[in-house]
Amino acid sequence: MPGAHHRAAHSTVTETHVITTSGLTKVYRSRGREVTALDGVDLHVREGEVYGVIGQSGAGKSSLIRCVNLLERPTAGTVTVAGQDLTALAGRGPRAGRELRQARSRIGMVFQHFNLLSARTVQDNVELPLEILGKSGKERSRKALELLDLVGLADKAKSYPAQLSGGQKQRVGIARALAGDPKVLLSDEATSALDPDTTRSILQLLRDLNRQLGLTVLLITHEMDVVKSICDSAALMDRGRIVESGTVGELLATPGSELAAALFPVGGDASGDDRTVLDVTFQGEAATQPVISQLSRTYNIDISILGAAIDTVGGLQVGRMRIELPGRYEDNVVPVGFLREQGLQIDVVNEVPDDSGAPDAAAAPAPLAKEGAK
Amino acid sequence: MTWSQMQPLLEQASWETLIMVGWSTLIAVVAGLPLGVLLVLTDRGGLLQNVVLNKVIGQVVNIGRSMPFIILMVALMSFTRWVTGTTIGSEAAIVPLAIGGIPFFARLVETAVREVDGGLVEAVQSMGGNTWTIVRKVLVPEALPSLIASTTTTVIALIGYSAMAGTVGGGGLGDLAVRYGYQRFEPGFMWITVALLAVAISIIQFAGDYAARALHRRGGQGGAGPRLRLLRAKEPAAADVGKVA
Ligand SMILES: Nc1ncnc2c1ncn2[C@@H]1O[C@H](COP(=O)(O)OP(=O)(O)O)[C@@H](O)[C@H]1O
Ligand SMILES: [Mg+2]
């Protein structure tokens, strides 16, 4: 697998938006009760990227992805996929008209519980979308076998889903989703029913397909590891709203980003009240070690390192270090300014909230927290 | 009564039962299957949601199912005469049997189709399939083991009804048992007839179970295991959620 990964490790992302939702709102009404699952969601997924939507259970992630192919009718707002306004195609009634069904056949979808037909063989499952598209028997079987080969299940064509492991079932689900040559693949918790090893191999498969076929993948998950291992961009959902979004690089460079902190946590608590704790984030080749020692020498202060890590997030080399300076924040304004001048991203971890001269870094988390609390 | 006297009577009656039950089952399945599927589709939240139609079909089916067969038979006399030209004989008995069998089978179909995992329907919708495709490629094939079991149940119920139809001139094994056992007091002959019916029912039940299990084995992991939906993993617990908020 690593070989395959490196062979096609170039990004396929372009600046064209292939999925756009604007003002997407979904209100479920049942027995007089109303639940607002989506509350004005604006989502922009670029062509060729893997976009992860993460959030807690009940945040509205499934509602969002099901609105993208109109399995769920939005209450308000629009959905555009590959330049086509699906909300306009949907029509009035609850049933999908021919145009919407045609559009759906160009959007692949994989599911948490695989949703394979137990009465059909693996190959017949993969052929199903092609039957719906009206392809001939010969063409169907050629395409199905080709796709099964692509997902590494050529030898299971004649098996029934019940004879497969969870990971194999999801590979069949992916092969089936690709049968209509979609530009876009939607994945609703595709790895949530799988063990960690299988999860990794399925994510790797999605990544390879994304790179090799230029497939745009919109995936939703409640696991940060999924975002960390394959996403180019991510959005954090809470109570029907997107509270943060951007490319992984942008998120990591956003001071106070909850997603960045979760994607790349560093531990370590202040050793006393009279200390300033800073998170220093650097990307790519930036070397901090000289900067830290320079800081120490220039201002003659003792710096303790509470925690540090270097990791790859969304294909980017990222390092983060949590350091502690003696004295309160007010006493350290100059050293912090020095670090920022070196091009490092500084988040103040233990800043006093009512500090009137709060720098941007410390002010940023506040609006996010407020938005989430609504 | 000697065996040579009994044999032609038994042969004739078996044949009549076969005709009555065979035809009425066929009609009950052909008409009950779409009705049962329609009951699911038109229900609230169904693919063809139509509350009025659903209520109407549901009521008709309920009335048909709760009506004692003997009353149904009498009530349908003029209809039977209109269809077959007579109200006596095996052919005439097919009419009330079939009409009694349709709602019986339709309810069983409804239950079987409701058991099909909604996720499969959604998967086919996401591929661009229409309602008809969903019925043909998902609902019926996935419910097939249950539908076969339902057919077995219907055949056995119709054998029971056919005994009643027999007593009012339909013929068949049930009629034979009543006439010789009750009216002419030939208990030996009656028991032979009863045994024949019991054997027929056992064979049908066995064959039906076997077919249903063979199909299910293909889908499940051998044997008539728990239904597919019970095998599925549950949605991950909220506690697993990554610490993001
Ligand atoms: N079909 C439905 N009817 C009523 N409420 C629903 C329905 N589907 C989802 N909801 C509600 O909408 C909210 C968002 O659900 P969902 O989109 O499934 O969230 P997630 O996938 O993030 O867990 C939840 O409060 C859920 O109970
Ligand atoms: Mg969900």
Side-chain angles (χ1 to χ4, degrees), chain A residues 58 61-63 112 188-189 220, chain B residues 235:
Chain A
K61 307 180 299 294
S62 293
S63 301
Q112 180 176 3
D188 187 348
E189 303 270 7
I220 66 168
Chain B
E235 182 104 30

Side-chain angles (χ1 to χ4, degrees), chain B residues 177-188:
Chain B
V178 171
R179 271 196 284 142
Y180 283 82
Y182 183 67
Q183 293 164 354
R184 301 197 189 173
F185 207 71
E186 292 263 8

Side-chain angles (χ1 to χ4, degrees), chain B residues 55-192:
Chain B
K55 281 269 178 310
V56 170
I57 303 175
Q59 270 309 313
V60 170
V61 164
N62 276 347
I63 291 169
R65 243 169 76 61
S66 51
M67 182 80 64
F69 180 71
I70 197 101
I71 294 176
L72 188 70
M73 210 162 52
V74 174
L76 284 174
M77 273 227 252
S78 52
F79 178 68
T80 303
R81 185 175 296 120
W82 179 72
V83 174
T84 63
T86 173
T87 56
I88 303 175
S90 312
E91 276 94 60
I94 291 170
V95 176
L97 282 174
I99 291 191
I102 290 168
F104 186 90
F105 187 65
R107 275 284 179 228
L108 295 176
V109 171
E110 185 194 0
T111 312
V113 171
R114 264 190 215 291
E115 284 287 303
V116 175
D117 188 337
L120 303 181
V121 173
E122 206 156 81
V124 175
Q125 282 179 313
S126 79
M127 297 169 199
N130 60 20
T131 305
W132 178 232
T133 305
I134 289 165
V135 170
R136 263 185 325 145
K137 312 233 173 201
V138 182
L139 298 182
V140 173
E142 289 294 314
L144 202 56
S146 307
L147 291 176
I148 288 177
S150 307
T151 308
T152 312
T153 309
T154 305
V155 171
I156 290 169
L158 286 173
I159 290 176
Y161 291 169
S162 79
M164 265 187 265
T167 60
V168 295
L173 287 170
D175 173 43
L176 208 60
V178 171
R179 271 196 284 142
Y180 283 82
Y182 183 67
Q183 293 164 354
R184 301 197 189 173
F185 207 71
E186 292 263 8
F189 189 57
M190 182 195 76
W191 284 117
I192 289 175

Side-chain angles (χ1 to χ4, degrees), chain A residues 54-87:
Chain A
I54 187 160
Q56 294 192 320
S57 175
K61 307 180 299 294
S62 293
S63 301
L64 173 60
I65 206 161
R66 291 160 49 79
C67 277
V68 169
N69 63 358
L70 271 294
L71 279 180
E72 208 72 73
R73 293 295 162 105
T75 311
T78 58
V79 176
T80 310
V81 178
Q84 207 172 16
D85 181 353
L86 298 189
T87 26

Side-chain angles (χ1 to χ4, degrees), chain A residues 43 55 96 124 127 168 223 271 275 296 311 347 352 354 374:
Chain A
L43 188 73
D124 289 347
E127 285 191 21
Q168 291 172 327
E223 291 167 313
S271 54
R275 299 281 191 277
S296 177
D311 203 346
D347 289 299
V352 187
D354 60 6
K374 264 182 205 163

